[in-house]
Amino acid sequence: MGLPVSTLLMTTGFLLVLIGMWGILRHRNILRIIIGFGLFDTGLHIVMVATGYITGGTAPIIDTALGIEQATTRAVDPVPSALVVTAIVIGFSVTAIMLAFAIRIHDARKTLSIDALTESKW
Amino acid sequence: MKAASSLLAVLLFGAVFAGIVGGYGERESVSALAEQYLAMVPRELGAPNVVTGILITYRGFDTLGEVAVLFMVAAGVGVLLGGKDTTTASEPGREPRRPSELVGNGAEITLPLIFLFGAYVIKNGHLSAGGGFQGGAVVASGTMLLMLALPATKLNHGFLGVTESLAGVVYVGIGILGLVFAAGFLDSHILPLGEFGTLISAGAIPVISALLGVKVGAELSVIIDRFRN
């Protein structure tokens, strides 16, 4: 059967996290740093959802394919899925605020390079 | 030097993550808490979608907090970007570029479908995959397409603000009704459970879902519109 599904998902998620981290560390353009943050965020969401998977499980939605009495044995863990919704909303919020700050920085400095912001270093 | 230290940091994190993945055994059964949720949501809340039941009733206070965060983001983006519409709008030579034929014509066909799909996702949150946040995001993506296809569109911020505030007030009002008529704040038992699996069932969950959808859709549309100027 090959690799378990949760291992595949976690590997994908952690790879996205590492790509995002590399982008945040190595790029000087603020927009690219924000894109790196987005990848980091998405990778962590995938990892969180992966921890809720149980072998052979299906979506925790009761319908003709999943009877009410089978729900506790055949459905995946719904708690990580519910928590990830919160994480996505917070990630979106942080990204929106960062982009708004990037626009203000571009207005003030006419550049998006973080090398232009030196006076806040200590 | 800098590249080497960045590479070292990423590689070390990679080693940590590889250790996590290597040591993780796929779970064979759900946790006791999840088992409780999986048994209780269909029986006690009457909602087939367990995730929606958790989000809107058992973790309802958390969802209210999320909506508050979204509201603060809309306000914060407004503070950061709002003060300059007058200066940029009057500048000559900043006419928005016309969209391509493909985007323009495509939007005319797909926009009504996108908004309809958003409403469908919001209304079926308790029956199938979906819910207020997801449907609201679909509606906001439709708004985004509208702005790309018709750059001259002006969103009525006053109307959207009033809609969004009303949805928020009614949401909190339903929560307080739960305090009075049911077991606690945001308890969905204030309305009858109805027949399992039908559109009008699961107590107050569809109502809260619709309010969330309206609120999230309006808020995200306002945030997207702020970034346009």
Side-chain angles (χ1 to χ4, degrees):
Chain A
M1 270 294 285
L3 284 167
V5 177
S6 57
T7 308
L8 283 176
L9 274 177
M10 281 175 104
T11 312
T12 314
F14 279 136
L15 276 180
L16 276 177
V17 170
L18 292 177
I19 294 169
M21 197 182 285
W22 180 255
I24 291 174
L25 288 173
R26 293 307 303 156
H27 281 288
R28 314 304 296 166
N29 185 316
I30 289 174
L31 283 184
R32 291 180 182 214
I33 293 172
I34 295 173
I35 292 171
F37 172 83
L39 286 174
F40 200 119
D41 205 41
T42 313
L44 285 181
H45 297 159
I46 294 174
V47 171
M48 279 170 77
V49 172
T51 60
Y53 183 76
I54 66 163
T55 310
T58 181
I61 297 169
I62 313 290
D63 56 9
T64 49
L66 179 73
I68 205 164
E69 59 287 330
Q70 300 172 301
T72 50
T73 51
R74 279 192 51 224
V76 301
D77 194 334
V79 180
S81 312
L83 295 182
V84 153
V85 174
T86 312
I88 289 171
V89 172
I90 304 302
F92 164 81
S93 310
V94 174
T95 312
I97 293 287
M98 284 198 296
L99 285 171
F101 271 114
I103 290 174
R104 296 302 292 182
I105 287 170
H106 186 262
D107 280 352
R109 302 294 168 94
K110 303 295 171 214
T111 171
L112 276 173
S113 167
I114 55 169
D115 294 324
L117 306 168
T118 48
E119 77 274 14
S120 53
K121 273 187 184 169
W122 64 83
Chain B
M1 182 57 212
K2 272 187 168 177
S5 54
S6 305
L7 189 65
L8 185 68
V10 170
L11 282 181
L12 285 178
F13 268 101
V16 172
F17 293 156
I20 295 175
V21 174
Y24 182 81
E26 192 165 276
R27 294 159 65 187
E28 298 294 326
S29 61
V30 295
S31 62
L33 173 71
E35 205 167 304
Q36 194 76 12
Y37 277 145
L38 284 166
M40 270 165 66
V41 170
R43 292 218 171 79
E44 293 190 2
L45 302 183
N49 186 346
V50 178
V51 177
T52 306
I54 295 174
L55 270 180
I56 291 186
T57 302
Y58 294 126
R59 295 181 60 83
F61 201 59
D62 183 60
T63 304
L64 184 63
E66 271 172 64
V67 173
V69 166
L70 269 187
F71 174 75
M72 282 188 274
V73 168
V77 171
V79 167
L80 281 169
L81 302 178
K84 54 182 191 132
D85 331 58
T86 46
T87 52
T88 48
S90 56
E91 262 178 54
R94 281 211 57 193
E95 286 288 300
R97 199 158 56 91
R98 279 180 51 76
S100 70
E101 285 291 308
L102 205 60
V103 174
N105 293 335
E108 280 173 18
I109 297 167
T110 54
L111 259 184
L113 292 177
I114 291 175
F115 286 125
L116 187 67
F117 180 64
Y120 171 81
V121 169
I122 290 170
K123 279 321 294 167
N124 279 279
H126 59 304
L127 301 178
S128 175
F133 281 104
Q134 295 86 331
V138 171
V139 170
S141 75
T143 313
M144 183 103 171
L145 180 60
L146 176 72
M147 285 171 188
L148 289 177
L150 301 162
T153 325
K154 287 263 182 290
L155 278 196
N156 190 338
H157 282 227
F159 172 73
L160 284 177
V162 169
T163 315
E164 180 215 304
S165 312
L166 267 182
V169 168
V170 177
Y171 184 25
V172 176
I174 288 178
I176 293 170
L177 282 183
L179 211 54
V180 177
F181 295 109
F185 190 64
L186 284 171
D187 191 346
S188 63
H189 286 103
I190 53 170
L191 292 174
L193 287 189
E195 195 187 332
F196 185 79
T198 50
L199 188 61
I200 301 173
S201 66
I205 289 179
V207 183
I208 296 176
S209 200
L211 289 172
L212 273 178
V214 168
K215 196 160 164 53
V216 172
E219 258 158 12
L220 297 194
S221 301
V222 169
I223 292 174
I224 290 169
D225 189 51
R226 292 277 189 213
F227 279 113
R228 194 168 53 146
N229 296 314

